[in-house]
Amino acid sequence: MSAIDSLPPLREVIAQHGLSARKSLGQNFLLDLNLTAKIARQAGNLSSCDVLEIGPGPGGLTRGLLSEGARRVLVIEKDRRCLPALQEIAAAYPGRLEILEGDALEIDPLAHLTPPIRVVANLPYNVGTELLVRWLTPPDWPPFWESLTLMFQREVAERIVAEPGSKAYGRLAILAQWRAEARIAMQLPPGAFTPPPKVSSAVVHLTALPQPRFPANPAILSRVVAAAFNQRRKMLRAALKGVSPHIEDLLVEAGLKPTDRAEQIPLEGFCALARAVERESQGKSG
Ligand code: SAM
């Protein structure tokens, strides 16, 4: 492990600050600074960007982002035990690291950031998925971020980039691919983390498109897709019964077969259905 900065190795930082990993906070730390610098590079050239990092922990990825030249990094960390270690990093990179303590699901970081903004994070699975869905479904587009570079369990990463017809295809694929370009940028074995998790991980890189691939209201699209995949083995006319009493007509209006199953429907079909549902709710349906 060669040094990427003048700060102590992460194992020393963890020992010095007593940062034993807590399962309840999903703490699996990356301690190899060459690896964290490599993850930071997946986010592209950061020299003219502010970076939002959620869950910095002892700061391995934070140090990667700063050593790779990020203009500024804002971190949000829930575990206050990590704050002294993060303050040491802030002192080594004067004026470039701001630390917020708290729950990323409850903090609005925008007042602390100047565009262009990129998001980079290695987060617990449930928090990561929740934040990803929020970042993908704001009412207006483009969003506050240019790109998201996020670590997930490999199985979740595969759901984000999945194509129609595959088992992994579902809500995450549709929401991600509707408004962004999504790809798996890196795969990591459990042994890359301390302590090692049970499963492999992958870094997903999403770039915001200037506008969604097809028009649709985000809230309606989310609702339709959630209902369709909640009962993914059922035909659409049954799975979507709760969306509208006239769902068969709306499916036909959207160019879909009421007997199709969610797994077969491409993104374009779900967007057409969301538009038909919206027209009906506005009383404009034929
Ligand atoms: N980024 C570090 C790394 O790569 O070594 C730590 C990664 S660890 C998987 C996840 C981090 O997210 C932990 O430091 C944990 O305390 C923090 N965390 C968990 N839930 C959080 C939340 N809701 N808001 C902010 N941070 C959270």
Side-chain angles (χ1 to χ4, degrees):
M1 201 191 296
S2 63
I4 61 166
D5 55 31
S6 57
L7 291 156
L10 281 158
R11 277 188 203 285
E12 269 176 40
V13 172
I14 283 174
Q16 192 195 338
H17 295 287
L19 300 179
S20 51
R22 289 202 175 140
K23 224 178 168 172
S24 60
L25 285 165
Q27 292 181 335
N28 302 97
F29 299 133
L30 291 166
L31 302 187
D32 177 347
L33 290 166
N34 287 312
L35 180 59
T36 62
K38 188 172 172 193
I39 295 169
R41 286 197 292 277
Q42 307 307 314
N45 181 349
L46 300 173
S47 59
S48 54
C49 298
D50 274 16
V51 177
L52 170 62
E53 188 201 349
I54 312 285
L61 185 52
T62 318
R63 287 165 63 174
L65 291 163
L66 289 162
S67 72
E68 286 299 313
R71 177 177 71 189
R72 270 187 77 247
V73 180
L74 172 71
V75 294
I76 303 180
E77 174 55 61
K78 196 170 172 180
D79 184 355
R80 62 163 32 164
R81 293 179 310 156
C82 298
L83 301 184
L86 294 169
Q87 277 147 8
E88 286 171 11
I89 303 172
Y93 290 94
R96 289 175 60 200
L97 176 60
E98 183 178 349
I99 304 159
L100 297 182
E101 181 201 341
D103 185 340
L105 294 169
E106 281 160 22
I107 292 177
D108 179 0
L110 285 190
H112 300 262
L113 292 162
T114 308
I117 299 162
R118 297 191 188 173
V119 180
V120 181
N122 171 22
L123 266 175
Y125 152 70
N126 55 340
V127 183
T129 313
E130 163 85 35
L131 285 171
L132 173 64
V133 170
R134 285 192 201 177
W135 288 328
L136 291 168
T137 53
D140 299 317
W141 201 260
F144 75 88
W145 50 272
E146 279 187 352
S147 68
L148 308 172
T149 306
L150 307 172
M151 182 86 70
F152 286 104
Q153 291 180 4
R154 194 166 147 188
E155 172 259 327
V156 178
E158 279 165 3
R159 277 166 41 204
I160 295 169
V161 301
E163 299 198 351
S166 69
K167 269 210 171 117
Y169 184 61
R171 185 174 78 120
L172 279 183
I174 289 162
L175 295 182
Q177 296 170 36
W178 175 45
R179 288 170 144 180
E181 190 82 57
R183 64 181 170 82
I184 292 182
M186 271 174 83
Q187 312 252 16
L188 289 94
F193 300 85
T194 304
K198 288 204 176 72
V199 294
S200 297
S201 300
V203 174
V204 181
H205 183 72
L206 299 108
T207 312
L209 295 170
Q211 53 192 28
R213 288 182 208 274
F214 308 101
N217 173 305
I220 297 177
L221 180 66
S222 285
R223 189 157 60 89
V224 165
V225 169
F229 284 98
N230 228 348
Q231 305 185 63
R232 59 191 296 142
R233 298 226 180 98
K234 287 200 176 169
M235 293 178 186
L236 289 175
R237 68 177 173 214
L240 295 173
K241 232 195 271 171
V243 171
S244 160
H246 312 115
I247 193 64
E248 292 221 25
D249 295 342
L250 298 180
L251 285 162
V252 173
E253 188 183 326
L256 303 175
K257 285 203 209 98
T259 51
D260 275 348
R261 289 174 172 78
E263 221 167 89
Q264 303 160 260
I265 307 300
L267 170 59
E268 188 173 5
F270 279 112
C271 291
L273 181 59
R275 293 196 300 275
V277 171
E278 185 172 28
R279 276 195 297 275
E280 190 206 33
S281 71
Q282 291 168 343
K284 289 184 206 148
S285 181

